[in-house]
Amino acid sequence: MAHDIRVVTEQELRSVIGLDRAVTDVVEKAFSALAGEGVVMPPILSMALHEANGEVDVKTAYLPGFDGFAIKVSPGFFDNPKLGLPSLNGLMILFSAKTGLVQSLFLDNGYLTDLRTAAAGGVAARHFAPEEIATAGVIGTGVQARLQMQAAHLERPFERLLVWGRDPGKAAHCAADLGEKLGIAVETISEPGKLVEQCQLVVTTTPAREPIITHDMLHPGLHITAMGSDQAGKNEIAPRVLAACDLYVADRLSQCELVGELAAAKAAGLEPFATAELGAVVAGRAQGRQSNRDITLCDLTGTGAQDTAIASHVAQLLAGSPTGTVITT
Amino acid sequence: MAHDIRVVTEQELRSVIGLDRAVTDVVEKAFSALAGEGVVMPPILSMALHEANGEVDVKTAYLPGFDGFAIKVSPGFFDNPKLGLPSLNGLMILFSAKTGLVQSLFLDNGYLTDLRTAAAGGVAARHFAPEEIATAGVIGTGVQARLQMQAAHLERPFERLLVWGRDPGKAAHCAADLGEKLGIAVETISEPGKLVEQCQLVVTTTPAREPIITHDMLHPGLHITAMGSDQAGKNEIAPRVLAACDLYVADRLSQCELVGELAAAKAAGLEPFATAELGAVVAGRAQGRQSNRDITLCDLTGTGAQDTAIASHVAQLLAGSPTGTVITT
């Protein structure tokens, strides 16, 4: 029996979806589902291609309450810039959760991943940031530095933003972009410690392998979202920070133990401390921030659940639209 | 930088590729690469969707000597026939092994899997079947029963073929199809034991969970290829057969221990016995059949290496052809 598959390019996707609270809502729904019954989220399939300085990750998750499930393939080939190509590429495939038939192919080159990753930061800000944020800060100056601050600002409309990056030129560029995008005062700052000191909400977005945020920087009423670490060996947050927080939240504990900030803390023998999964807090099954003076940390490593969420959301946005190329098979 | 992705449907694929010795050759090359240095073949990513009576497997492999690598997604949704849909679907994605860019999307609904699976049987026949096959036999009556016999016949042009299946009507239909396809005498037979007794080459192609071939059926000069078992719990060959053979060959030992005939033999405590990997024999690194009287068994569970092989082969066949839909992204 023939059926139609919609193939949608990155450019077409950019014309129909951007970062907004609807994206955060659907990602929040995915985290809630992840805390419930009937979820299936296998470990990430990961393949390193050493000869090409490349790697490929495959993520997926089946979530009750979603009509489809996504399989996402994310290649990262780090010599590509020498060839004038981006390092990151990839696609998402949306399948019917009822029949397994391919419904859509999103040739997004990582665009949907960028959105769903930022939206997870939005969910973290929604549930863990203090109600009043005077100043937010971002560590890092890349795509996620920008998107994370946009997602956070949708939840907590702060009026002042600080940016720190190793490269002052990139930090200045990022600050200018965010000032324009958010219409607020954005400044660069010379040291991460000075940034944290002034902020109630901090997001770290770097591929650091040595901690940038240390426990001496902590102060009451601080929330940190760490989203840079997604591989063994990456580490933005010093182990003692996890132990010093009132609450450490993982997007998925089993994954954060391997590739998140929790890995270094475990290696340092700093367990046990108060932990929860993001989905459990979203679903009301675990406690989040208890007071405006709490110090909280949310560790985001990226889940297949978010991919299923955003792919399903895009498919709904596209329903009935002529966007993309329809292939009958 | 924009690049082109070719999207090819099952129907288009069927117009350009069928089962021939070139397919067996490229799959043989993949097995040879699998025995060498630099291969990366992660464990299968598998997700069961119990609510929908479905499952999804993702396989991949990087093989030195191939310009691309495939990621294959195989959904199996076993209530689909009630909806008038096939149980098996899926697609293969071919990536550049140099840049990770998507090159082709083969919306094959399992057709390329059928071919590469049969071709592995062809490789097994090429390397393990006695030189002279008077009579071949197939256990099972489905798509693979037909394709396995075609692949074997390309390697060993036997003149007589026996078919056994639980359902005599399906067996008769399969025999008629194979008689027409191969232009030889094909008969059904009432019992598996009688089939094995008369054959020098037997291929088992069933989803059996209780052994069909038992050690009392063995005779000198027999080769068996067992390709039906690809999941824990499936079992076509009694454990004692593995121990009684002169040589047991796995497509991948680590995988056959989990989902192949080797699993039951291990569970029965029947190790150690003479084992080899198919690729090692193909590459001349391990010994195959030693005499016309040897009894050999080849256990095929399906590898990502075969997917990379056939996807690369199809891409070569399509190079410069207008087949498919080109999407610029």
Side-chain angles (χ1 to χ4, degrees), chain A residues 1 9 40 47-49 51-52 56 60 62 69 71 73 75 77 80 85 89 93 95 97-101 325 327, chain B residues 1 9 40 47-49 51-52 56 60 62 69 71 73 75 77 80 85 89 93 95 97-101 325 327:
Chain A
M1 210 164 84
T9 66
V40 194
M47 179 164 77
L49 288 80
E51 284 180 42
V56 188
T60 187
Y62 166 72
F69 64 92
I71 291 184
V73 184
F77 279 64
N80 278 4
L85 297 169
N89 293 288
I93 312 161
F95 296 84
K98 188 176 176 193
T99 65
L101 290 177
T325 306
I327 309 265
Chain B
M1 211 164 83
T9 65
V40 193
M47 179 163 75
L49 288 81
E51 284 179 43
V56 189
T60 187
Y62 166 72
F69 64 91
I71 291 185
V73 183
F77 280 64
N80 278 4
L85 297 169
N89 293 287
I93 312 160
F95 296 84
K98 189 177 175 192
T99 65
L101 290 176
T325 305
I327 309 265

Side-chain angles (χ1 to χ4, degrees), chain A residues 40 51 92 99 164 173 182 196-197 220 232 293 309:
Chain A
V40 194
E51 284 180 42
M92 285 194 196
T99 65
W164 179 83
H173 191 180
L182 301 178
V196 177
E197 182 183 289
R293 290 186 57 80

Side-chain angles (χ1 to χ4, degrees), chain A:
Chain A
M1 210 164 84
H3 83 289
D4 288 347
I5 297 173
R6 192 196 297 250
V7 185
V8 192
T9 66
E10 178 188 347
Q11 195 176 359
E12 290 164 340
L13 288 164
R14 285 185 185 273
S15 74
V16 295
I17 184 169
L19 184 58
D20 58 22
R21 290 195 87 195
V23 174
T24 304
D25 289 346
V26 74
V27 168
E28 182 182 50
K29 182 184 165 197
F31 277 115
S32 182
L34 202 51
E37 301 291 318
V39 168
V40 194
M41 192 165 79
I44 299 166
L45 182 159
S46 194
M47 179 164 77
L49 288 80
H50 296 295
E51 284 180 42
N53 193 19
E55 62 182 39
V56 188
D57 283 352
V58 183
K59 293 184 180 181
T60 187
Y62 166 72
L63 302 176
F66 285 82
D67 294 337
F69 64 92
I71 291 184
K72 182 179 73 175
V73 184
S74 306
F77 279 64
F78 304 104
D79 292 340
N80 278 4
K82 297 178 196 165
L83 306 170
L85 297 169
S87 295
L88 303 178
N89 293 288
L91 76 165
M92 285 194 196
I93 312 161
L94 182 67
F95 296 84
S96 161
K98 188 176 176 193
T99 65
L101 290 177
V102 177
Q103 300 193 313
S104 307
L105 291 160
F106 299 131
L107 306 173
D108 71 323
N109 297 318
Y111 175 61
L112 297 179
T113 299
D114 285 344
L115 295 185
R116 66 71 150 155
T117 301
V123 174
R126 187 177 288 184
H127 288 275
F128 301 107
E131 284 302 316
E132 299 294 325
I133 304 288
T135 305
V138 65
I139 308 274
T141 59
V143 171
Q144 277 300 315
R146 291 158 169 86
L147 287 174
Q148 288 287 339
M149 285 299 105
Q150 291 176 47
H153 193 260
L154 289 168
E155 303 303 320
R156 296 287 190 275
F158 44 82
E159 290 294 330
R160 181 167 176 257
L161 173 55
L162 301 176
V163 178
W164 179 83
R166 283 187 308 177
D167 180 328
K170 288 183 180 171
H173 191 180
C174 181
D177 283 352
L178 278 166
E180 186 176 351
K181 188 82 187 176
L182 301 178
I184 60 171
V186 184
E187 304 152 40
T188 61
I189 194 160
S190 59
E191 290 173 30
K194 290 183 179 168
L195 181 145
V196 177
E197 182 183 289
Q198 299 183 54
C199 292
Q200 295 79 50
L201 167 63
V202 174
V203 183
T204 62
T205 67
T206 75
R209 291 178 172 268
E210 296 292 336
I212 296 171
I213 294 191
T214 50
H215 82 287
D216 53 289
M217 299 177 188
L218 301 181
H219 57 79
L222 172 66
H223 171 71
I224 302 168
T225 294
M227 58 67 55
S229 188
D230 59 353
Q231 280 189 332
K234 290 189 183 173
N235 184 203
E236 301 187 276
I237 311 293
R240 283 179 66 185
V241 172
L242 279 71
C245 283
D246 294 290
L247 180 64
Y248 164 85
V249 182
D251 56 0
R252 194 71 165 171
L253 281 165
S254 56
Q255 196 168 293
C256 290
E257 282 178 4
L258 300 175
V259 300
E261 302 303 334
L262 190 52
K266 277 183 78 85
L270 280 173
E271 289 188 293
F273 43 78
T275 62
E277 281 198 347
L278 178 52
V281 177
V282 169
R285 298 183 181 198
Q287 296 234 319
R289 170 173 288 274
Q290 301 295 301
S291 91
N292 277 332
R293 290 186 57 80
D294 276 3
I295 302 174
T296 53
L297 170 63
C298 184
D299 189 1
L300 301 176
T301 52
T303 64
Q306 293 157 257
D307 299 318
T308 284
I310 192 131
S312 301
H313 182 57
V314 172
Q316 282 188 350
L317 291 178
L318 289 173
S321 115
T323 305
T325 306
V326 172
I327 309 265
T328 301
T329 186

